Amino acid sequence: MIIQQRVELDDQKAAIKELDDLLNTARKVLENAAEAAYISGCEYSAVTANEKLHTTNVLVENAQMASQKMDVQLAQAQKEDITEVMNFEDSNLESDQES
């Protein structure tokens, strides 16, 4: 179960990374378009595009933070699972030694 969750988390991280790369490219294009719009007097469209870009950037950052939080939780679950297995094996070893 933990391995499956790790794979799903890695897939999600890859998707977020791809989205972040796309966002950076869009940011560069929009900066150039905003400059051209401002020069030609279309300031409203430049401001609107910049606001939408900022909103998208916030959403990507939130997804990255959620992914990091899930990674920490998954690592904690994996640690607990390993501890349980070790305790179980220790108790079995003690039982075998008493027999």
Side-chain angles (χ1 to χ4, degrees), residues 40-92:
S40 67
C42 301
E43 297 161 6
Y44 177 76
S45 61
V47 170
T48 302
N50 193 32
E51 288 173 356
K52 290 183 181 191
L53 180 63
H54 176 71
T55 301
T56 304
N57 193 39
V58 169
L59 292 173
V60 170
E61 288 174 0
N62 289 342
Q64 288 172 332
M65 287 189 301
S67 178
Q68 289 173 349
K69 185 178 178 181
M70 288 188 305
D71 201 18
V72 168
Q73 291 173 344
L74 187 56
Q76 181 65 30
Q78 195 169 12
K79 178 183 171 185
E80 291 171 5
D81 188 44
I82 290 169
T83 302
E84 286 179 21
V85 168
M86 290 177 64
N87 289 340
F88 178 74
E89 289 180 2
D90 286 345
S91 67
N92 282 344

